[in-house]
């Protein structure tokens, strides 16, 4: 939605010859004008209570048939090609990635919020004909370059290809009896906890990670006991590991 220099091609049709005077009127429509969308919805993030402002933070937005004023029937360009988000001022278009889309229930959308503070607000727009899905929804732009890798798991019925949502392309492969199951956000991987059952990637921690890192995962353990591994990465040059695990005393 940011204004800038645009190239416009104007085509005049009719019976006039070159050089003849004309009173024809040409109307230029601004593609990015948010008022051209017929539906909009304010979204506020009241759950973040820290003092730090998070920059370009990918916030999870769940669109649902239970939200007043929202209906999948109001989309006019296929299932969701006319979905857009802006910042609170309605002047900056925001990157987003759709993790799942369910016209009968909840749809999970990750939206890159420029500055996330307590009660920060953005806008969702939809309801416009002849729109195409923006490239940023699939090219990794939603995830800041500081994200080394992001793995979503699919709809709970089939894992398929475990794609890295960032631009780094660390696709995961399935090893052993790992199956799909329902998750807190869309789907999840069901790992039985046996040897040889895991997801593996070509991620190179020595090339991507430093001394200060954050590793996060949503985990539903069947039981709590001694140290249980969630994620790990070997650093050959340092003969060490980055490791995320849980234990019953923490």
């Amino acid at each position: 939605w940011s204004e800038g220099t645009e190239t416009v091609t104007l085509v005049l049709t009719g019976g006039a010859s070159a050089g003849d005077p004309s009173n024809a009127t040409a109307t230029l429509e601004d593609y990015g004008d948010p008022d051209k969308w017929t539906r909009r919805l304010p979204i506020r993030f009241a759950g973040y209570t820290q003092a730090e402002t998070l920059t370009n933070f990918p916030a999870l937005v769940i669109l649902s048939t239970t939200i007043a004023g929202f209906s999948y029937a109001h989309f006019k360009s296929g299932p969701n090609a006319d979905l857009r988000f802006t910042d609170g001022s309605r002047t900056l278009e925001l990157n987003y990635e759709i993790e799942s889309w369910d016209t009968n229930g909840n749809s999970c959308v990750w939206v890159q919020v420029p500055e996330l503070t307590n009660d920060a607000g953005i806008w969702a727009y939809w309801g416009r004909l002849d729109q195409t899905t923006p490239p940023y929804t699939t090219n990794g732009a939603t995830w800041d370059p500081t994200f080394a890798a992001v793995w979503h798991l699919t709809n709970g019925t089939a894992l398929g290809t475990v794609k890295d949502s960032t631009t780094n392309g660390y696709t995961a492969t399935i090893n052993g009896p790992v199956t799909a199951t329902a998750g807190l956000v869309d789907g999840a991987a069901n790992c039985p906890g046996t040897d040889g059952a895991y997801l593996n990637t070509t991620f190179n921690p020595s090339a991507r990670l430093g001394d200060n890192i954050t590793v996060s995962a949503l985990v539903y353990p069947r039981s709590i006991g001694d140290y249980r591994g969630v994620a790990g990465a070997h650093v050959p040059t340092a003969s060490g590991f980055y490791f995320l695990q849980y234990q019953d005393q923490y």
Side-chain angles (χ1 to χ4, degrees):
W1 260 275
S2 299
E3 295 297 330
T5 302
E6 299 177 75
T7 300
V8 178
T9 301
L10 181 62
V11 179
L12 299 179
T13 59
S17 301
D20 289 347
S22 173
N23 294 321
T25 300
T27 300
L28 301 181
E29 181 177 290
D30 186 353
Y31 171 88
D33 183 356
D35 290 329
K36 299 299 182 182
W37 270 256
T38 60
R39 305 283 175 172
R40 69 183 184 188
L41 182 72
I43 300 172
R44 306 208 73 82
F45 301 99
Y48 181 64
T49 59
Q50 303 303 310
E52 179 185 4
T53 297
L54 303 181
T55 304
N56 291 331
F57 185 82
L60 177 62
V61 173
I62 299 180
L63 302 175
S64 171
T65 53
T66 62
I67 298 175
F70 177 82
S71 173
Y72 292 104
H74 294 152
F75 284 85
K76 296 183 177 181
S77 296
N80 49 45
D82 49 329
L83 179 63
R84 300 291 186 274
F85 294 90
T86 71
D87 65 352
S89 67
R90 301 174 58 209
T91 58
L92 178 64
E93 186 173 354
L94 306 182
N95 298 330
Y96 71 87
E97 174 193 339
I98 296 177
E99 181 175 347
S100 65
W101 194 259
D102 182 2
T103 56
N104 295 313
N106 295 341
S107 296
C108 299
V109 184
W110 297 93
V111 183
Q112 189 183 64
V113 181
E115 292 186 344
L116 183 64
T117 58
N118 184 32
D119 209 35
I122 63 174
W123 287 86
Y125 290 85
W126 68 99
R128 185 174 179 182
L129 291 170
D130 303 324
Q131 302 305 297
T132 57
T133 302
Y136 58 67
T137 61
T138 56
N139 66 8
T142 301
W143 305 90
D144 184 275
T146 57
F147 281 85
V150 175
W151 295 286
H152 300 307
L153 300 170
T154 53
N155 58 14
T157 59
L159 282 177
T161 300
V162 185
K163 179 179 176 293
D164 174 14
S165 288
T166 74
T167 59
N168 297 315
Y170 293 116
T171 299
T173 56
I174 302 169
N175 293 269
V178 179
T179 58
T181 188
L184 183 62
V185 180
D186 197 20
N190 179 27
C191 297
T194 57
D195 289 342
Y198 59 91
L199 300 177
N200 185 46
T201 81
T202 58
F203 178 72
N204 183 353
S206 60
R208 289 292 308 181
L209 302 181
D211 294 331
N212 299 312
I213 65 172
T214 299
V215 181
S216 62
L218 298 175
V219 180
Y220 182 80
R222 295 180 180 84
S223 62
I224 301 294
D226 290 334
Y227 296 103
R228 305 294 178 90
V230 176
H234 180 229
V235 187
T237 57
S239 298
F241 289 85
Y242 293 98
F243 209 73
L244 175 65
Q245 58 189 5
Y246 65 90
Q247 201 253 354
D248 59 357
Q249 297 179 11
Y250 298 97

